[in-house]
């Protein structure tokens, strides 16, 4: 079942974020997620089965400078590897689209790493109707 993530899910969310390749402790995720939960323009959904979180999607609703419409940016999405191929990710993304529509967003966007292990995921996104459109850049502020 898909449901809104709760503060009590921080431990399971930390596990999922670690699977995404971002080392995170339960303590860090608890503090981080408490901040996220306070923001009404953020939303996190989880896929739960038998009391265990098998996947999650986190997003933010934003406005554009260059256009009049708003959009949803998926900032984190993961399904545990052993549960991939069951449609869990597709359901989470559909729920993200529903959330965006309810907020008046015209589109949903995401960035995904260019690492070779992400290529299969990129093909799945394209199968779901996402198009490659831009190149992302990153620079730490020190």
């Amino acid at each position: 079942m898909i449901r809104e993530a709760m503060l009590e899910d921080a431990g399971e969310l930390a596990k999922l974020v670690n699977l995404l390749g971002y080392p995170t402790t339960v303590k860090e995720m608890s503090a981080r997620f408490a901040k996220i939960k306070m923001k009404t323009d953020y939303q996190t959904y989880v896929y739960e089965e038998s009391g265990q979180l098998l996947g999650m999607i986190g997003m933010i609703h934003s406005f554009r400078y260059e256009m009049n419409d708003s959009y949803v940016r998926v900032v984190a999405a993961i399904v545990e590897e052993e549960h991939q191929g069951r449609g869990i990710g597709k359901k989470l993304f559909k729920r993200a689209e529903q959330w965006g529509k309810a907020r008046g967003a015209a589109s949903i966007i995401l960035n995904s790493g260019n690492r070779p292990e992400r290529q299969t995921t990129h093909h799945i996104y394209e199968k779901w109707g996402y198009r490659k459109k831009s190149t992302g850049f990153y620079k730490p502020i020190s």
Side-chain angles (χ1 to χ4, degrees):
M1 116 177 127
I2 294 177
R3 64 169 174 81
E4 188 173 330
M6 302 176 293
L7 292 173
E8 296 80 20
D9 294 322
E12 292 282 314
L13 290 173
K15 177 184 77 173
L16 292 168
V17 170
N18 274 290
L19 292 174
L20 265 176
Y22 301 100
T24 302
T25 66
V26 173
K27 182 178 178 180
E28 288 171 329
M29 181 52 75
S30 295
R32 190 180 309 150
F33 193 56
K35 292 176 190 175
I36 290 170
K37 285 292 284 180
M38 290 189 306
K39 302 290 186 184
T40 59
D41 49 351
Y42 279 77
Q43 182 59 276
T44 308
Y45 290 109
V46 294
Y47 185 92
E48 182 180 25
E49 197 172 272
S50 302
Q52 182 182 9
L53 300 188
L54 306 182
M56 64 85 64
I57 191 165
M59 66 214 94
I60 183 170
H61 178 237
S62 298
F63 294 90
R64 300 178 184 273
Y65 285 91
E66 74 281 11
M67 300 172 86
N68 296 330
D69 60 8
S70 66
Y71 63 95
V72 169
R73 174 180 293 277
V74 173
V75 293
I78 182 77
V79 173
E80 284 192 349
E81 189 172 359
E82 60 268 21
H83 297 283
Q84 292 174 2
R86 296 178 41 203
I88 294 171
K90 187 173 188 175
K91 289 175 186 173
L92 287 166
F93 270 83
K94 286 289 184 193
R95 187 64 188 97
E97 290 175 19
Q98 292 168 354
W99 183 77
K101 283 181 187 177
R103 296 175 85 68
S107 60
I108 186 166
I109 62 174
L110 62 98
N111 286 16
S112 184
N114 292 326
R115 301 181 309 270
E117 66 270 16
R118 301 294 299 155
Q119 293 306 310
T120 300
T121 304
H122 295 175
H123 293 300
I124 291 169
Y125 292 151
E126 290 173 334
K127 182 179 173 185
W128 293 345
Y130 290 82
R131 295 176 298 166
K132 292 180 184 179
K133 189 170 179 178
S134 64
T135 300
F137 295 90
Y138 169 82
K139 178 184 178 186
I141 301 173
S142 47

